[in-house]
Amino acid sequence: MKKFFMFITASLCTLMLHAQWTADSLSNLKVKDGSGTEEVVPLQATTDDGYTYISWFESNGGNYKLMMQLLDKEGNKLWGDDGLTVSTHPTGSALYVYDL
């Protein structure tokens, strides 16, 4: 009986959940995909109120710069199509251990 009750409870909970973005892999949200640039080492963090911060390193011409984007609960970009530049300090390599 306990297993049946847990199954019904879990089933009802999943019916009430709302996905933020589409499950269609052909229409995934491109946070950044620039021509002639390389975007590497992405990290994301979601806040308690549903906003998602995404950071990545972008290379253009051999130097990496740290970029960031903020998405609302529906996945809309809040900081323009290119995001914000956090750091343009010249560097020939990206950091591979950093935290958001």
Side-chain angles (χ1 to χ4, degrees):
M1 183 69 171
K2 184 177 179 180
K3 288 183 182 179
F4 177 73
F5 178 71
M6 291 299 290
F7 174 75
I8 296 298
T9 302
S11 297
L12 291 174
C13 287
T14 58
L15 291 174
M16 293 184 286
L17 296 176
H18 299 283
Q20 292 183 18
W21 298 294
T22 179
D24 181 6
S25 64
L26 297 176
S27 65
N28 284 339
L29 174 69
K30 290 182 182 180
V31 174
K32 179 65 191 273
D33 189 21
S35 177
T37 61
E38 177 185 22
E39 296 85 16
V40 295
V41 197
L43 290 180
Q44 67 90 24
T46 303
T47 63
D48 291 339
D49 55 355
Y51 288 87
T52 301
Y53 290 91
I54 301 173
S55 66
W56 67 93
F57 283 92
E58 186 174 295
S59 174
N60 190 357
N63 283 319
Y64 286 89
K65 59 183 177 179
L66 182 59
M67 303 293 292
M68 197 169 204
Q69 180 62 268
L70 177 62
L71 306 175
D72 65 12
K73 296 175 188 179
E74 287 78 37
N76 299 310
K77 297 176 186 178
L78 299 179
W79 291 344
D81 287 336
D82 293 332
L84 294 178
T85 302
V86 176
S87 174
T88 60
H89 183 76
T91 179
S93 65
L95 295 172
Y96 291 96
V97 178
Y98 74 104
D99 199 359
L100 180 59

